[in-house]
Amino acid sequence: MKNESLVRNWIEFADMDANMASFTFENMHPKPLELICYHCQQAAEKILKALLIAISENEDVQKTHDLALLADSLSETIEISDLIYNACSDLTPYGVKVRYPKEVFVDETMTQKALNDMTKILGWGKTEMENLMQKA
């Protein structure tokens, strides 16, 4: 893979966002639910962008926070299940709107779902990355 170092950097940053979201959910009280959801979206966005860089071998990725749009870009090369598309769609609003007061209401149930969606996308993305590396 031409951009293996860059791809690994994107994966490391995805893991940092995922760890931040999980740690904060488990350890902060009161829980900053909006920020946790934001980091869930960011982790998913970064693993999708890592995959895009890996398959295209281009360092530039689309500048968007729309996870379904990123998944669509991947779908020409990688099979994406409805489960992953749905998780992408559900996480997308947390990429921008939660950064501003009163844009999105978030409760603990929604935050737990965001954590679960993030975990699904990260697990799937890392499996797909391993498959790409084996083919290379």
Side-chain angles (χ1 to χ4, degrees):
M1 179 182 324
K2 178 181 166 189
N3 293 318
E4 188 170 342
S5 177
L6 180 60
V7 168
R8 288 190 191 283
N9 283 6
W10 277 94
I11 294 169
E12 288 170 11
F13 273 74
D15 286 339
M16 283 192 280
D17 276 309
N19 291 336
M20 178 69 77
S22 297
F23 179 85
T24 304
F25 185 79
E26 294 168 13
N27 294 291
M28 278 191 80
H29 302 286
K31 295 175 181 168
L33 302 177
E34 293 84 1
L35 293 177
I36 294 165
C37 290
Y38 170 75
H39 284 288
C40 290
Q41 186 279 341
Q42 285 292 288
E45 180 179 323
K46 288 170 184 156
I47 197 69
L48 293 173
K49 288 182 176 181
L51 281 166
L52 282 168
I53 292 168
I55 63 173
S56 70
E57 296 194 355
N58 184 348
E59 292 185 12
D60 296 325
V61 293
Q62 188 172 5
K63 292 186 186 324
T64 182
H65 299 295
D66 186 332
L67 304 183
L69 186 62
L70 293 170
D72 281 339
S73 297
L74 287 166
S75 68
E76 296 172 16
T77 308
I78 298 172
E79 184 175 331
I80 302 173
S81 70
D82 287 343
L83 184 72
I84 296 300
Y85 268 117
N86 291 340
C88 287
S89 293
D90 291 345
L91 283 176
T92 291
Y94 301 131
V96 177
K97 290 186 177 190
V98 297
R99 297 186 297 178
Y100 304 101
K102 299 185 183 197
E103 285 290 319
V104 174
F105 170 79
V106 179
D107 63 20
E108 196 158 330
T109 300
M110 296 165 75
T111 305
Q112 187 62 59
K113 181 179 180 330
L115 287 160
N116 291 338
D117 287 342
M118 172 193 70
T119 301
K120 286 175 202 166
I121 294 169
L122 281 177
W124 167 82
K126 288 180 179 182
T127 299
E128 291 300 325
M129 190 65 69
E130 287 174 16
N131 292 340
L132 288 172
M133 291 180 149
Q134 288 175 359
K135 291 177 184 176

